[in-house]
Amino acid sequence: KIGTVHFSGNNSIHFIDESLDPKLERLVNIDEISLKNIDNSDINNSADLTISMHVDKHSSLETKCKIRPFLPKVDLDLEGRIRNVHLPPISPYLSKYLGYNVKTGVLSLDYVFKVDAGVLDVDNEVVIKNIKLVPDDQNKIDKLSKQLTMPLDKALSILRDKNNDVNLSIPIRGDIENPDFNLNDIIGKALGRALKMASVSAIKYFLQPYGALLVLASL
């Protein structure tokens, strides 16, 4: 048994990913990491993990997690939030999945994250402010466009609210050990659902009198 492992004070992680072009390099400041109740007398025992970090005075990550570290497959319950992440520096990761680089944009995210014996069940509430995209990989763009029935940049323009923000719910489900588990397919499907809802909303409120009929049909 270990009661508590606790980091506090002035700590940081110098993160470099040289697999990207250009390479990603960021300094992440650790405000707190705390791991409590580590006990392997029973493999079903759970430990409590708390993490608080920031990249600059505006960008932060806070998460709390119950993890069962001694089970043979990943098993955890986690929830947290990410605030005001500047997207252009992490563009290479987005290009990998979506085929676009981000010229401008700030992301905030609330998430509930569960893994039960390797099966992933995640709910994400995403807010993206002032996003502007630049094409980078045409093959990936074409594949995503087929899923959305339109290019991603046009799709996001439909989803913008009056403050120029994009609000999305992106659930992610699947077995992370299954070779068919594909994150960009999941993102594409979630965006497609959001677009469908946005299109229905537009009909309801702008295309009268047909919108009124659709509201009545929904009721």
Side-chain angles (χ1 to χ4, degrees):
K1 295 181 181 180
I2 300 175
T4 302
V5 179
H6 186 243
F7 295 86
S8 62
N10 186 21
N11 304 287
S12 61
I13 298 171
H14 189 192
F15 179 81
I16 303 173
D17 190 343
E18 294 184 342
S19 68
L20 302 175
D21 185 19
K23 72 178 181 181
L24 178 65
E25 186 169 359
R26 303 289 282 175
L27 185 67
V28 180
N29 300 287
I30 303 170
D31 302 310
E32 178 186 9
I33 296 179
S34 178
L35 183 60
K36 298 180 179 179
N37 304 319
I38 306 163
D39 181 356
N40 70 351
S41 61
D42 184 336
I43 63 170
N44 293 302
N45 285 340
S46 61
D48 299 302
L49 176 65
T50 301
I51 300 174
S52 178
M53 300 179 177
H54 70 277
V55 177
D56 51 46
K57 64 180 181 180
H58 300 295
S59 302
S60 63
L61 177 149
E62 297 175 4
T63 192
K64 292 184 178 180
C65 172
K66 281 191 174 294
I67 182 169
R68 286 158 286 278
F70 304 108
L71 289 174
K73 289 191 174 183
V74 179
D75 194 294
L76 58 85
D77 296 292
L78 179 152
E79 63 181 47
R81 64 180 192 172
I82 297 171
R83 289 292 178 267
N84 302 319
V85 174
H86 194 47
L87 289 176
I90 61 172
S91 252
Y93 289 115
L94 300 177
S95 176
K96 179 179 178 181
Y97 292 111
L98 304 177
Y100 288 90
N101 282 321
V102 181
K103 186 176 181 180
T104 64
V106 176
L107 178 141
S108 294
L109 171 68
D110 290 286
Y111 52 89
V112 177
F113 192 107
K114 181 180 177 64
V115 183
D116 185 358
V119 177
L120 188 66
D121 186 353
V122 180
D123 288 304
N124 295 294
E125 297 296 327
V126 183
V127 179
I128 308 172
K129 297 180 179 292
N130 193 34
I131 186 167
K132 294 181 181 179
L133 301 177
V134 179
D136 184 54
D137 186 323
Q138 194 58 48
N139 289 332
K140 290 176 183 174
I141 290 173
D142 291 343
K143 181 179 178 181
L144 186 62
S145 296
K146 289 179 181 178
Q147 289 180 311
L148 302 180
T149 68
M150 68 179 70
L152 178 60
D153 50 353
K154 291 183 180 180
L156 291 176
S157 69
I158 293 174
L159 296 172
R160 295 178 195 272
D161 63 17
K162 62 182 180 180
N163 298 316
N164 203 32
D165 297 343
V166 176
N167 295 270
L168 290 171
S169 295
I170 303 182
I172 299 175
R173 311 282 187 267
D175 186 346
I176 58 179
E177 296 180 2
N178 188 328
D180 293 330
F181 182 79
N182 192 320
L183 188 59
N184 50 327
D185 286 345
I186 291 168
I187 293 172
K189 289 176 183 177
L191 286 169
R193 284 194 296 270
L195 277 171
K196 183 178 180 181
M197 292 175 63
S199 300
V200 170
S201 297
I203 292 171
K204 284 181 179 179
Y205 296 108
F206 297 116
L207 301 183
Q208 300 297 341
Y210 306 105
L213 296 174
L214 186 58
V215 170
L216 287 174
S218 298
L219 291 173

